[in-house]
Amino acid sequence: LSCRVEGRQSVKRGTMNEPIADLLSKHSDAVDEMKEILKDEFPRSKVVGAEPHRDTWILRFLIGNKFKVEAAADKFKQMVTLREKHNLDSIRADFENGKKYFEIPGFNQHHQHCLGAFHLQNGDAKDGSPINIQQVAKWDYQKYREIP
């Protein structure tokens, strides 16, 4: 799989040919414009609206929307609303405060039919890109669809 980023050659997904800092610098005008549009949204999310990752999230939305600032800002607002609705910003804090994966509501139902889904093998490739392996072939899709 590959993706194109404005004016660059096709890049294999999962690799990063330019450091994020370089991309942020290259597209600083668009990032700054989006920050201005979203300034009232940032307090709604402790994760995506706060440093140090806020600008990286903005960059992801800009790239995903071909650097159309208004479209990227609208998608960002939708994402923040979704995170609020499902209380996603609390997940990291829950685990940092000692919550175990099996304490997640629905974990046992989900895990029975999706073997390997919560036992991920994570790491980094030689080039530093993230790796996440799931054994989805062991999933019982019919049972999984029946989970309320």
Side-chain angles (χ1 to χ4, degrees), residues 14-37:
T15 64
M16 188 175 299
N17 292 346
E18 293 181 16
I20 291 174
D22 290 348
L23 285 170
L24 286 168
S25 176
K26 180 178 178 179
H27 300 289
S28 62
D29 290 343
V31 170
D32 291 342
E33 184 180 346
M34 197 159 151
K35 279 181 176 176
E36 182 60 31
I37 293 170

Side-chain angles (χ1 to χ4, degrees), residues 58-114:
I58 289 173
L59 184 62
R60 290 176 69 189
F61 277 83
L62 284 167
I63 291 169
N65 288 278
K66 299 179 181 175
F67 292 90
K68 296 176 184 168
V69 175
E70 291 293 331
D74 286 342
K75 295 291 185 187
F76 192 97
K77 289 176 186 177
Q78 290 173 21
M79 182 259 310
V80 170
T81 299
L82 179 98
R83 293 182 71 85
E84 271 184 333
K85 178 181 177 183
H86 297 287
N87 204 22
L88 297 181
D89 284 353
S90 71
I91 292 172
R92 181 181 305 240
D94 290 347
F95 286 110
E96 288 172 351
N97 292 326
K99 186 172 192 171
K100 305 294 183 213
Y101 62 88
F102 52 82
E103 296 173 331
I104 298 170
F107 169 80
N108 290 326
Q109 283 180 299
H110 186 275
H111 189 64
Q112 286 175 329
H113 309 300
C114 304

Side-chain angles (χ1 to χ4, degrees), residues 9 75 97 99 128 133 141 146-147:
Q9 299 212 355
K75 295 291 185 187
N97 292 326
K99 186 172 192 171
I133 301 171
Y141 290 99
E146 294 170 5
I147 297 172

